[in-house]
Amino acid sequence: MINSTMTLGSSALRRGAFAVALVAGLAFSGSTFADDLSSMIKAGNSKWDAAFNSGDAAAVAKLYAEDAQVLPPGQSPVNGAEGIEKFFAGVIGAGYTDHKIETLKVTESGNLRVQTGRWQAMGPADEGGKRKAAEGSIVTVHEKQNDGTWKMQVHIFN
């Protein structure tokens, strides 16, 4: 009788321990997934900032899908990689530098990732030679491409 009770108790203990381990594992893997997702978006932001800050509008445009759309404040939508390259060449040419994106939140559903955040840059010098900081909010939708890479599909900022 003692052996059968101990076996039952041991089996129940094992099931309980397994359940706790499973829940902890799922919680950890969810956290790891969120961390990985956030890290991937932040790495993409770093590439974007580096390309922009080096004055390479072509490299910026390569981070977008061929049929992507940029929605700048108070302007018409900019469509496609070629249009996006031309748009950012104009922004860079106007004297904007030191761009930095800060991620606030990232969510994923299937082949789409949505990032919200803040951006800041130094604007062009005024007539007196002073530069003014520019900043705002950003939303980007990233889409997984057929080759497995992620590219921006929609980019809106204010």
Side-chain angles (χ1 to χ4, degrees):
M1 184 115 155
I2 294 175
N3 286 341
S4 67
T5 305
M6 288 178 66
T7 303
L8 178 61
S10 296
S11 178
L13 267 172
R14 279 194 297 263
R15 283 195 302 270
F18 175 75
V20 169
L22 180 62
V23 170
L26 289 174
F28 178 74
S29 66
S31 172
T32 301
F33 174 76
D35 292 344
D36 288 348
L37 179 58
S38 182
S39 294
M40 291 170 71
I41 293 293
K42 287 179 182 179
N45 291 343
S46 292
K47 284 182 183 178
W48 198 101
D49 288 338
F52 183 92
N53 292 331
S54 70
D56 192 347
V60 171
K62 286 180 183 174
L63 299 172
Y64 292 82
E66 281 297 316
D67 60 342
Q69 189 173 54
V70 173
L71 303 164
Q75 298 180 38
S76 297
V78 179
N79 298 303
E82 188 177 315
I84 290 168
E85 179 179 349
K86 184 177 177 182
F87 172 77
F88 283 113
V91 173
I92 292 165
Y96 285 89
T97 61
D98 302 320
H99 194 279
K100 184 174 186 324
I101 300 170
E102 173 193 6
T103 300
L104 298 177
K105 183 177 179 182
V106 178
T107 56
E108 180 175 304
S109 179
N111 287 337
L112 297 176
R113 294 176 177 164
V114 178
Q115 169 190 313
T116 59
R118 301 279 304 154
W119 67 271
Q120 61 184 18
M122 291 304 294
D126 63 16
E127 290 178 12
K130 284 193 159 201
R131 298 183 70 201
K132 190 174 183 180
E135 62 181 355
S137 298
I138 183 173
V139 175
T140 55
V141 177
H142 304 252
E143 184 175 40
K144 191 172 189 177
Q145 305 299 297
N146 291 335
D147 65 2
T149 62
W150 290 85
K151 294 196 174 192
M152 284 185 272
Q153 185 65 42
V154 177
H155 175 182
I156 185 168
F157 60 97
N158 64 14

